[in-house]
Amino acid sequence: MVASGRMDSEKNGQSRPRATLKDIAKVVGVSPTAVSLALNDKGALTDELRRRIKETAAALDYSPNPAARILRGARSNAVSVVINYFNNPFFRHFVLGLEEVLDRAGVSYSMSQTHDRLEKERELTRKMAEQGVDGLIVLNCSSEHEHLTAVSQTFSIPIVLISHALEDRFAAVQADNLRGGRLATEHLLSLDERPLFHIEGGWGKSGLINRKLGFVQAMRDARPDCNAEEACFPVEGLTAAAGYQAMAAIHEKHNPPFGLFVVNDEVALGVLTYCRHHGLHWPDDVAVVGFSDIDILETLDIPLTSIRIPQQRMGEVAAGTLLDLIAHPENRLCPPVLTLPVSLVVRESTVKQRRGLP
Amino acid sequence: MVASGRMDSEKNGQSRPRATLKDIAKVVGVSPTAVSLALNDKGALTDELRRRIKETAAALDYSPNPAARILRGARSNAVSVVINYFNNPFFRHFVLGLEEVLDRAGVSYSMSQTHDRLEKERELTRKMAEQGVDGLIVLNCSSEHEHLTAVSQTFSIPIVLISHALEDRFAAVQADNLRGGRLATEHLLSLDERPLFHIEGGWGKSGLINRKLGFVQAMRDARPDCNAEEACFPVEGLTAAAGYQAMAAIHEKHNPPFGLFVVNDEVALGVLTYCRHHGLHWPDDVAVVGFSDIDILETLDIPLTSIRIPQQRMGEVAAGTLLDLIAHPENRLCPPVLTLPVSLVVRESTVKQRRGLP
DNA sequence: ACAGGTTGATAAAACGTTATATCAACAATA
DNA sequence: TATTGTTGATATAACGTTTTATCAACCTGT
């Protein structure tokens, strides 16, 4: 068989270590420097020699040793993404956008999760920087920034924050939460005269606070005689279970019909479950608007009106910004904070719709 | 203020580059070799000197340069996880187990997704290996193995496969899909005499094929006169939408009541949605058993009977196996294939239950 | 006092790559 | 023929770490 030589070398399992510049040099009969220059299309070499070198490099299945390059001060062409939880529903589309831009630039990325623990965030950002990444993307970071400043300075790498701008010290990409809050509230206001409440999740994270602010502003504009602050109920964590609890608290004090703007979709799901369990119908008894338009709504056919945030676009923009800051260190002095537009998606939790049968 | 000195050095933003062994050596007035030996607790040094060196190292915020260590042939203490999709529901708990074991061992991990594309799988596994990881974990890999063999050999690193064993060439960790299929089917058989069908997703992936095999075996044992093979319906992809379609196809040919063992939970969710849309009630009209017991079932209060697989445990075992193969290269010659037990979780999609009101 | 042994430290080499400096050969100019 | 310039290649140093070999100094026992 023609392929038997290759088969043998595969079978014996003792394939020798990776080819290096020196190996190629020896085969071609030339200096390692020449090989380096040839492969990087630098220096002055005969076209003929360049060709021969590239040929043997390919034949030996050569790929440069990243450790050696990094040691020489080269870029690693790798960035790291640090997120609070991998199962953050936001994350999926975000990563899609990120991936596309990074792939195109030939930059690889790795990811890790902090479990929303500051200690882990400190540890991971530092570890990744030590490993030599060219930049960091931090999603839903804590509200601290000292460790980020330290890492960014010590290792001279840029950091881009997502969905949580931090004092203009870092580049950031976020959704227009304020406008989202207004959109949601104005939509509820447009339904009828029912009272409105907000289930808020604002403990320091600027994004969530802005959602509440949007609610308060819209209420003040439309119903100046109603104290919007008193219409806000806190939730104990951003989970469906917590939403269930919060809804129970509201239902205890107030009788339907009323409208609800909920800080995010997971919490809103808990609200819907409460309604199902207690015979409350939407939109007639309770009209609900969530935030984020997470994709399981569609998958599971849950008709929750929500504010859509351009997750994939945010990923693209974040990656683009990071790559720019890596390539142009001077831009790090005034890091951009980008706010992307959101939109309202109306579903049956606020407006009754005719369903077309399949 | 006492802290002003530190504040200044933070403010000027020009923090000098990372401290190296040489820097420490210069400060202590000793050779770099001594510093290396001291920090690694090797060689013969005065306790006094060792102490002083460690002290200054800490003071200079020293951490060894991984690139340099790797170049010297050291382990990188990093592994890479390659998965088909980040939003694979299996992934969340798996990663929890993985993380715990790796953390304890001081090993960091990075992750990337292949979108179920072989080309991407090839590219990513190679890229990660080139970057110098000590080992690879591949979840839901393709059915090819040449590229894995090549990467494993060229870079002399072990690979552990998850949920899809591949010809005993690699270490693998998988759920007992065969037994899961039997459990699910036997549960349905125990309900009553209704006919049973299986929505199968077996195009080559050994795990899914074994689920079907479990169904066929259980059927053959309990109802030898029924052709179990003909009770199997294929699904076009492992999504809820595809499940909806498959259920439509079955409903066209067969009238309720019947029982369904579905290849996985996502597909089963599509089946449940179909039932809701077409006025079919469970468990009376259609009894459904899924596979995997993904966590949104609980979150969204969807009462789907399912086969629970020990996701977190699989993560722990996979990480443990990989660490072992990294530390003991001789074990790579006969890589272990571990099969973990599964269990049945009964919910309302097969057995009517009394719900306790909150 | 001298071979042999231990202790505590260092010098030098190596990992693979790339940037800088050097160098030979040859062409063009004076 | 000597001077300068260009072209095509190489030698060397450097990145930060660890390993190996070396070395001085100090003991031990004859």
Side-chain angles (χ1 to χ4, degrees), chain A residues 131-143:
Chain A
Q131 303 247 354
V133 296
D134 296 334
L136 284 174
I137 293 181
V138 183
L139 268 96
N140 280 59
C141 58
S142 68
S143 303

Side-chain angles (χ1 to χ4, degrees), chain A residues 320-354:
Chain A
T321 305
L322 187 63
L323 291 179
D324 174 70
L325 292 179
I326 290 173
H328 306 103
E330 67 275 16
N331 293 347
R332 293 176 202 175
L333 295 178
C334 87
V337 174
L338 303 169
T339 304
L340 271 53
V342 299
S343 58
L344 177 75
V345 180
V346 177
R347 297 204 187 84
E348 215 154 342
S349 72
T350 54
V351 175
K352 196 157 280 180
Q353 293 174 334
R354 190 166 306 164

Side-chain angles (χ1 to χ4, degrees), chain A residues 10 61 63 66 71 87 92 95 99 103 108 110 113 115 120 126 130-131 153 244 277 300-301 358, chain B residues 15 61 63 66 71 87 92 95 99 103 108 110 113 115 120 126 130-131 153 244 277 300-301 358:
Chain A
E10 267 182 9
D61 195 27
S63 69
L71 193 55
N87 67 323
R92 182 184 161 195
V95 109
E99 213 171 50
D103 270 6
S108 71
S110 67
Q113 58 181 347
H115 298 274
K120 209 89 168 101
R126 181 157 234 283
E130 283 177 355
Q131 303 247 354
Q153 285 190 3
Y244 195 101
H277 284 182
L300 298 178
D301 202 34
Chain B
S15 68
D61 195 27
S63 70
L71 193 56
N87 67 323
R92 181 182 161 199
V95 110
E99 212 170 51
D103 270 6
S108 71
S110 67
Q113 58 181 348
H115 298 273
K120 208 91 169 98
R126 183 157 232 284
E130 283 177 352
Q131 302 247 354
Q153 284 191 2
Y244 195 101
H277 285 183
L300 299 177
D301 202 36

Side-chain angles (χ1 to χ4, degrees), chain A residues 31-94:
Chain A
S31 79
T33 310
V35 180
S36 173
L37 293 175
L39 295 180
N40 294 326
D41 284 317
K42 290 185 177 176
L45 297 181
T46 324
D47 285 354
E48 159 65 8
L49 180 55
R50 212 178 278 278
R51 193 188 53 71
R52 254 171 58 219
I53 290 178
K54 286 188 176 177
E55 222 164 53
T56 32
L60 293 185
D61 195 27
Y62 170 81
S63 69
N65 183 327
R69 310 188 68 171
I70 295 173
L71 193 55
R72 284 284 316 181
R75 307 246 112 100
S76 62
N77 282 326
V79 302
S80 183
V81 181
V82 175
I83 191 177
N84 57 348
Y85 289 106
F86 284 148
N87 67 323
N88 185 330
F90 175 80
F91 166 62
R92 182 184 161 195
H93 288 102
F94 177 84

Side-chain angles (χ1 to χ4, degrees), chain A residues 13-322:
Chain A
Q14 283 300 354
S15 67
R16 68 196 118 45
R18 289 174 73 180
T20 74
L21 285 187
K22 219 184 285 183
D23 298 328
I24 304 178
K26 203 171 294 177
V27 172
V28 183
V30 79
S31 79
T33 310
V35 180
S36 173
L37 293 175
L39 295 180
N40 294 326
D41 284 317
K42 290 185 177 176
L45 297 181
T46 324
D47 285 354
E48 159 65 8
L49 180 55
R50 212 178 278 278
R51 193 188 53 71
R52 254 171 58 219
I53 290 178
K54 286 188 176 177
E55 222 164 53
T56 32
L60 293 185
D61 195 27
Y62 170 81
S63 69
N65 183 327
R69 310 188 68 171
I70 295 173
L71 193 55
R72 284 284 316 181
R75 307 246 112 100
S76 62
N77 282 326
V79 302
S80 183
V81 181
V82 175
I83 191 177
N84 57 348
Y85 289 106
F86 284 148
N87 67 323
N88 185 330
F90 175 80
F91 166 62
R92 182 184 161 195
H93 288 102
F94 177 84
V95 109
L96 231 54
L98 188 85
E99 213 171 50
E100 190 189 319
V101 173
L102 292 182
D103 270 6
R104 206 197 310 287
V107 171
S108 71
Y109 68 99
S110 67
M111 308 198 326
S112 25
Q113 58 181 347
T114 64
H115 298 274
D116 260 336
R117 285 176 44 214
L118 177 58
E119 199 41 58
K120 209 89 168 101
E121 185 177 308
R122 274 210 196 89
E123 187 186 315
L124 285 175
T125 47
R126 181 157 234 283
K127 194 160 194 169
M128 289 302 122
E130 283 177 355
Q131 303 247 354
V133 296
D134 296 334
L136 284 174
I137 293 181
V138 183
L139 268 96
N140 280 59
C141 58
S142 68
S143 303
E144 297 280 334
H145 63 267
E146 271 191 36
H147 58 299
L148 296 180
T149 311
V151 162
S152 176
Q153 285 190 3
T154 308
F155 299 90
S156 320
I157 56 176
I159 298 182
V160 174
L161 304 181
I162 309 298
S163 70
H164 189 192
L166 216 54
E167 305 185 27
D168 295 359
R169 283 164 168 277
F170 300 98
V173 178
Q174 55 189 359
D176 193 341
N177 289 291
L178 181 66
R179 183 161 160 68
R182 288 197 78 115
L183 276 179
T185 312
E186 284 161 5
H187 172 61
L188 286 169
L189 286 165
S190 77
L191 297 179
D192 48 35
E193 295 295 315
R194 67 176 74 192
L196 299 187
F197 305 111
H198 173 47
I199 296 186
E200 63 165 316
W203 337 271
K205 301 237 180 181
S206 66
L208 307 187
I209 290 179
N210 280 331
R211 292 178 195 177
K212 174 182 174 178
L213 202 57
F215 172 78
V216 172
Q217 286 183 4
M219 286 291 278
R220 209 173 38 210
D221 291 353
R223 301 182 183 167
D225 48 333
C226 152
N227 186 337
E229 282 289 347
E230 284 180 359
C232 295
F233 293 76
V235 66
E236 307 269 337
L238 299 179
T239 64
Y244 195 101
Q245 298 290 338
M247 179 60 183
I250 294 177
H251 192 203
E252 225 170 65
K253 294 192 193 166
H254 302 277
N255 287 324
F258 52 77
L260 264 180
F261 167 44
V262 186
V263 65
N264 84 6
D265 284 351
E266 283 100 319
V267 178
L269 288 177
V271 171
L272 294 188
T273 303
Y274 180 93
C275 292
R276 256 209 332 260
H277 284 182
H278 295 79
L280 299 176
H281 296 100
W282 60 76
D284 298 328
D285 297 329
V286 182
V288 185
V289 180
F291 206 109
S292 294
D293 191 40
I294 62 182
D295 51 13
I296 52 169
L297 299 182
E298 196 124 43
T299 304
L300 298 178
D301 202 34
I302 294 171
L304 175 65
T305 294
S306 188
I307 300 294
R308 172 168 297 166
I309 59 189
Q311 309 179 356
Q312 182 161 350
R313 183 84 194 112
M314 286 177 74
E316 295 169 8
V317 171
T321 305
L322 187 63

